[in-house]
């Protein structure tokens, strides 16, 4: 009878041992979880912990970016969001790319750990952004963020941030400077190219040109920039182009030398890549104009096409494109321009414009290359002073002073101009002709 009793007792011992092991393991795991939870709370809710997180984040970013990162004081609970003071990113040579007095955002920690930057409620206070593409080189952000350089292999790009999307972005009092390669028209003679370079550097051209290494760069600046964008897509798998949905925007723009373009508000969608930026049905409000238009701008050469409908349009608001326009007056009009190399084309149509006591209705077009040419012009006008004509048309000097009324069609350049119409000229001394 003893043997069967021993058989019943022995299996229970291993079970008890197993239960004890599971209990100990459960307690150990619970302790680890509790310790991790406490550690996270300490790291996210104390200055000591945030400093450790700041150092960790800097080390991680330095290992991913091809550049230099500066992170100032961090505040917030860090689990769902944070605010960073004095954040900056520079390229490997120490040249600035991005800097801001304060950056705040909400996020998911798990997404950040998988190199997926998907931020919400993003606020940038006084950011400075420098987009720089030296002659014969790549954009600075392509050098800093490997994932944005589409010429690199997938293996190289996978080391960067393949996903950078910002939601509900607010930008306050920012400044953006863009420098792109510039060179004179290659179809010109060597002497003419040298002359074009000296003219651009000396302020004889509308574009702002500076020396850069052995070449030249064109500079565009946006300042006093404040905006609200529901979506800014910089990089996301499945999308080739970048996108910015703009709900509101105010800025002072210097696409050329002064005068500036003052934008009171802007609404629409901008799409861009490494080569150009383009838009459709973009609504822009300026001090005296309300515009709706489409266009495209090529970064490298500065070629641009633009078509806009102004209801109304102010002459002063368009002087940043064509400074010879008067600083007063305006009215409804359709406006278009096309820049190709050294050729500039401007069209105004469906116009009913008043300026300096004059009224003009109809269409007007002018081209600038080696000289200027007027084409596709059919206008009706009243009380147009010869001084106004001299102001708008380069190198034109009226032989007599007075005002003009009537209708006029014009074709051709300064040395081969064909005009037809019915015009009355009111001379200041001799009366009406």
């Amino acid at each position: 009878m003893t043997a069967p009793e021993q058989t019943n007792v022995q299996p229970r011992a291993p079970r008890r041992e197993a239960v004890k092991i599971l209990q100990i393991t459960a307690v150990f795991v619970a302790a680890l979880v509790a310790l991790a939870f406490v550690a996270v709370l300490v790291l996210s809710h104390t200055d000591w912990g945030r400093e450790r997180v700041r150092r960790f984040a800097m080390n991680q970013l330095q290992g991913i970016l091809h550049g230099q990162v500066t992170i100032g004081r961090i505040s917030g609970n860090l689990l769902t969001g944070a605010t960073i003071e004095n954040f900056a990113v520079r390229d490997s040579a120490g040249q600035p790319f991005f800097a801001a007095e304060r950056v705040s955002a909400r996020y998911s920690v798990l997404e950040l750990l998988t190199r997926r930057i998907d931020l919400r409620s993003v606020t940038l206070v006084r950011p400075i952004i420098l987009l720089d593409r030296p002659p014969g080189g790549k954009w600075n952000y392509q050098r800093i963020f490997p994932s944005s350089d589409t010429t690199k292999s997938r293996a190289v790009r996978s080391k960067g941030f393949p996903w950078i999307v910002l939601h509900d972005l607010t930008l306050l009092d920012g400044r953006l400077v863009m420098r792109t390669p510039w060179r004179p028209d290659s179809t010109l003679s060597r002497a003419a190219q040298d002359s074009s370079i000296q003219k651009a550097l000396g302020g004889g051209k509308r574009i702002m040109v500076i020396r850069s290494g052995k070449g030249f760069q064109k500079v565009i600046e946006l300042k006093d920039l404040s905006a609200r964008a529901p979506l800014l897509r910089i990089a996301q798998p499945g999308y080739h182009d970048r996108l910015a949905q703009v709900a509101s925007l105010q800025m002072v723009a210097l696409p050329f030398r002064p005068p500036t373009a003052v934008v009171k508000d802007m609404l629409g969608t901008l799409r861009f890549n490494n080569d150009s930026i383009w838009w459709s049905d973009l609504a822009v409000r300026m001090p005296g104009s309300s515009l709706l238009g489409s266009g495209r701008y090529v970064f490298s050469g500065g070629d641009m096409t633009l078509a806009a409908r102004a209801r109304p349009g102010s002459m002063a608001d368009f002087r940043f494109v064509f400074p010879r326009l008067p600083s007063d007056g305006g009215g409804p009009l359709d406006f278009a321009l096309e820049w190709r190399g050294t050729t500039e084309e401007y069209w105004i149509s469906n116009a009913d414009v008043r300026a300096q006591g004059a009224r003009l209705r109809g269409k007007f077009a002018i081209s600038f290359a080696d000289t200027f040419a007027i084409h596709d012009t059919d206008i009706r006008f009243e009380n147009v002073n010869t001084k106004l004509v001299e102001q708008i048309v380069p190198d034109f000097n009226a032989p007599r002073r007075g005002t003009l009324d009537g209708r006029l069609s014009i074709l051709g350049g300064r040395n081969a101009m064909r005009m037809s119409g019915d015009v009355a000229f009111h001379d200041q001394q001799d009366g009406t002709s």
Side-chain angles (χ1 to χ4, degrees), residues 67-82:
Q68 306 170 15
V69 180
T70 300
I71 299 177
R73 180 177 177 271
I74 297 179
S75 59
N77 63 21
L78 306 189
L79 295 177
T80 59

Side-chain angles (χ1 to χ4, degrees), residues 45-107:
H45 288 81
T46 66
D47 292 338
W48 179 88
R50 296 188 188 102
E51 175 60 20
R52 296 304 179 273
V53 172
R54 186 189 72 83
R55 294 180 183 180
F56 175 79
M58 284 188 59
N59 291 334
Q60 292 298 309
L61 289 174
Q62 292 286 176
I64 296 174
L65 304 181
H66 294 172
Q68 306 170 15
V69 180
T70 300
I71 299 177
R73 180 177 177 271
I74 297 179
S75 59
N77 63 21
L78 306 189
L79 295 177
T80 59
T83 297
I84 302 174
E85 309 288 341
N86 300 320
F87 179 77
V89 177
R90 297 174 177 82
D91 63 18
S92 56
Q95 296 299 313
F97 163 66
F98 175 87
E101 288 187 11
R102 186 169 71 250
V103 178
S104 62
R106 299 182 62 82
Y107 51 77

Side-chain angles (χ1 to χ4, degrees), residues 84-150:
I84 302 174
E85 309 288 341
N86 300 320
F87 179 77
V89 177
R90 297 174 177 82
D91 63 18
S92 56
Q95 296 299 313
F97 163 66
F98 175 87
E101 288 187 11
R102 186 169 71 250
V103 178
S104 62
R106 299 182 62 82
Y107 51 77
S108 166
V109 173
L110 292 178
E111 290 180 341
L112 293 179
L113 293 176
T114 57
R115 294 183 294 108
R116 175 170 166 169
I117 300 180
D118 198 303
L119 308 180
R120 299 184 180 276
S121 301
V122 183
T123 300
L124 307 178
V125 178
R126 294 186 181 87
I128 298 176
I129 305 169
L130 173 61
L131 303 177
D132 181 77
R133 186 176 184 179
K138 296 179 180 180
W139 288 102
N140 55 353
Y141 63 80
Q142 289 180 289
R143 302 191 301 269
I144 295 171
F145 300 95
S147 59
S148 67
D149 190 350
T150 56

